Amino acid sequence: MTDITEQKMTIPTYDDVLIAHERIKPYIHETPVLTSRFLNELTGAELFFKCENLQKAGAFKVRGASNAVFGLTEAEAAVGVATHSSGNHALSLSYAAGQRGIPVTVVMPRTAPQAKKDAVRGYGGTIIECEPSTSSREAVFAEVVAESGADFVHPYNDPRVIAGQATCSKELLSQVDDLDAVIAPIGGGGMISGTCLTLSTIAPQVKIYAAEPLNADDAARSFRAGHIIADDAPDTVADGLKVPLKDLTWHFVSNHVTDILTATEEEIVEAMKLVWKRMKIVIEPSSAVPLATILKNPELFRGKRVGVIITGGNVDLDKLPWLNN
Amino acid sequence: MTDITEQKMTIPTYDDVLIAHERIKPYIHETPVLTSRFLNELTGAELFFKCENLQKAGAFKVRGASNAVFGLTEAEAAVGVATHSSGNHALSLSYAAGQRGIPVTVVMPRTAPQAKKDAVRGYGGTIIECEPSTSSREAVFAEVVAESGADFVHPYNDPRVIAGQATCSKELLSQVDDLDAVIAPIGGGGMISGTCLTLSTIAPQVKIYAAEPLNADDAARSFRAGHIIADDAPDTVADGLKVPLKDLTWHFVSNHVTDILTATEEEIVEAMKLVWKRMKIVIEPSSAVPLATILKNPELFRGKRVGVIITGGNVDLDKLPWLNN
């Protein structure tokens, strides 16, 4: 609760999603939906892959970040935005701020991959380094915000961000008819919350599954326990999914998700390689978790039309998880 | 001239393309056109990537193969089809024949990658192995055709195949307006011939560039010499582009291509990795040659709207050319 303001705790509605979509359309791609006969035959389901790896900045996160950035008043925008993230949210917020031409500061651990740092700077972002610990990150970030007055755009626990991510399944529903289920990875829960927001409003018959690495299964355990359980430092190849749920995302997960399924590291890497090989798209490990869980739970999906959200494609091409293991 | 019949030497017309497109639509994807702001800024051009790596069987070759297979009479089809190829044409013809439920025999060198052999068999094809030499291949193939009476579908020097490949730029023109140029890789010249056939008929103002590895630049040398020059055994990472032009493809290349540009092995691998990294798609080395030549000849493309045909995405994910070099 410490990192969002009262104002931001507002639960976004589908009206916010409609506004968000109009607002961000000039800055995002309507990403294609791809299918694979091979994967359909393998799973017995009809899978519709919503390819946010082909999104600007390589991930769905640009939807929420753009909604936050372009929703600011001129006065707010002039002060700029800030966040802490070592991943796709950092890139996306930098991209969106660059599009609006406003300052953006990202607090990143000094150990973050050089490629990510380069990409943030490439989009015009300023990086402030912290030590790779929660305490250092929070202290440094508090300082940044205090000094600059920048608007904090949380990677997921922010209604503007969730409304932005919700535009992904809004698009998906306009591209594919009669879905029985949608499945997406779950880390902090931003994409799943957006998915819940859209589907519970305009397609409440569609089941919503979240997919999580077994090695970082705090959301699955939270779901069973009925309250948020946050792990300290989970270790998984799906590096985008290490963060815990927060109050806003927990609201959506606890109210609208049908189930949270998990997959092992090996299953995730195998599903990732399968998608690269068969679908010819570059996806990051996090994006492979849904397919891994579908392959593991065929009875849940057999004969069903399933939307599968491929969340991003930002990987280090020199260090692929199926090589040099 | 030995491997095509008189009947097949007919030069296909745009009417054949229209018929082909109607015929093959149920068996192919209308592949998406992707753009990259990063690559536009890098090249100074507006690039529109026609993604045949996302095509069925992972390459544009399924267009021509399907046109040949589904254009057969019932009696012809019952006898089946045959080809010699160790690459994408083998996969595509097997896929198309499998769709029609007819026999398909592929003569492949026994040294062909196991993955390719597995894929052909996965689509229901029968493989007859030959030694990795032209003489062995021709002898074995002649035997296969003599015994089975199968219809020979040449990988590129066949009007049915060229008319099928021509549907790719027909789609591209319906997806992108006002192109100034289209560029595609050139090996045997099937894709380039199809591109010439479509563009010279319905968009003659669009320039057509072919892109070739410097290590296998027989088409470029043929173009300058004014007659076909066939190399014996060129060696390039772009393994789809080693084959020489033949009479039908030479007809189109010599009449309609603006220029043939070349790139080194290093430039090809660099362009390939750049596409994977920035566009999040898996492309094979052959598909990277056009971008490599655009990067090398910016003055030709600056300020222009350029269609770039990504021909395929069939690579061995365990042996990427930028790793372990």
Side-chain angles (χ1 to χ4, degrees), chain B residues 99-136:
Chain B
Q99 287 291 299
R100 187 155 179 184
I102 67 174
V104 51
T105 307
V106 181
V107 173
M108 289 178 103
R110 60 172 173 72
T111 53
Q114 192 58 40
K116 287 267 163 75
K117 294 182 188 171
D118 291 346
V120 166
R121 292 201 184 97
Y123 286 127
T126 301
I127 295 172
I128 309 284
E129 293 192 349
C130 64
E131 293 306 304
S133 73
T134 305
S135 54
S136 168

Side-chain angles (χ1 to χ4, degrees), chain B:
Chain B
M1 234 69 48
T2 51
D3 54 12
I4 57 172
T5 67
E6 276 303 309
Q7 185 268 325
K8 286 183 192 168
M9 281 190 59
T10 316
I11 292 169
T13 67
Y14 195 64
D15 281 343
D16 297 317
V17 181
L18 295 173
I19 293 167
H21 210 184
E22 284 310 305
R23 180 183 283 148
I24 68 179
K25 264 183 186 165
Y27 313 104
I28 65 166
H29 288 305
E30 175 169 330
T31 52
V33 172
L34 300 181
T35 60
S36 163
R37 196 180 63 150
F38 178 86
L39 293 178
N40 286 350
E41 286 175 1
L42 190 65
T43 59
E46 266 190 283
L47 306 180
F48 299 90
F49 294 89
K50 176 67 172 162
C51 290
E52 291 288 295
N53 57 325
L54 306 179
Q55 187 53 269
K56 297 272 187 188
F60 73 92
K61 298 254 176 185
V62 78
R63 296 176 182 269
S66 298
N67 190 42
V69 163
F70 285 93
L72 296 173
T73 65
E74 286 299 322
E76 289 165 340
V79 184
V81 289
T83 199
H84 50 72
S85 159
S86 55
N88 288 330
H89 179 63
L91 268 61
S92 296
L93 192 66
S94 303
Y95 163 79
Q99 287 291 299
R100 187 155 179 184
I102 67 174
V104 51
T105 307
V106 181
V107 173
M108 289 178 103
R110 60 172 173 72
T111 53
Q114 192 58 40
K116 287 267 163 75
K117 294 182 188 171
D118 291 346
V120 166
R121 292 201 184 97
Y123 286 127
T126 301
I127 295 172
I128 309 284
E129 293 192 349
C130 64
E131 293 306 304
S133 73
T134 305
S135 54
S136 168
R137 189 196 66 190
E138 290 186 352
V140 172
F141 187 73
E143 215 173 296
V144 165
V145 171
E147 273 181 26
S148 65
D151 188 292
F152 174 28
V153 183
H154 190 279
Y156 52 92
N157 203 48
D158 182 311
R160 306 168 297 179
V161 170
I162 291 172
Q165 319 308 31
T167 62
C168 178
S169 42
K170 175 171 177 286
E171 274 179 20
L172 175 61
L173 289 179
S174 76
Q175 292 166 306
V176 184
D177 291 332
D178 298 326
L179 287 173
D180 297 300
V182 169
I183 184 165
I186 188 162
M191 169 50 77
I192 277 287
S193 294
T195 306
C196 290
L197 172 50
T198 292
L199 295 181
S200 68
T201 310
I202 63 172
Q205 74 285 1
V206 179
K207 287 188 176 175
I208 301 165
Y209 291 94
E212 193 174 38
L214 187 62
N215 276 12
D217 66 344
D218 55 286
R221 286 183 287 123
S222 302
F223 190 72
R224 312 225 185 288
H227 59 86
I228 298 177
I229 299 170
D231 282 346
D232 194 38
D235 186 25
T236 169
V237 65
D239 57 346
L241 304 181
K242 292 179 181 177
V243 289
L245 295 168
K246 297 272 184 182
D247 58 352
L248 256 183
T249 53
W250 172 246
H251 164 81
F252 286 101
V253 169
S254 58
N255 280 294
H256 299 294
V257 164
T258 298
D259 204 356
I260 301 183
L261 309 171
T262 59
T264 66
E265 299 296 290
E266 293 69 26
E267 289 162 345
I268 294 167
V269 172
E270 199 177 319
M272 177 181 172
K273 192 177 177 188
L274 194 60
V275 167
W276 286 45
K277 182 178 161 76
R278 285 292 172 164
M279 298 187 62
K280 317 300 180 192
I281 53 175
V282 172
I283 70 170
E284 57 193 52
S286 302
S287 300
V289 186
L291 179 61
T293 64
I294 292 171
L295 288 165
K296 200 172 181 174
N297 299 278
E299 71 289 353
L300 286 178
F301 301 98
R302 193 172 292 126
K304 301 282 197 287
R305 290 168 65 83
V306 184
V308 182
I309 299 181
I310 299 284
T311 44
N314 292 322
V315 286
D316 183 343
L317 294 173
D318 294 316
K319 288 184 190 159
L320 299 177
W322 57 80
L323 298 175
N324 315 313
N325 277 342

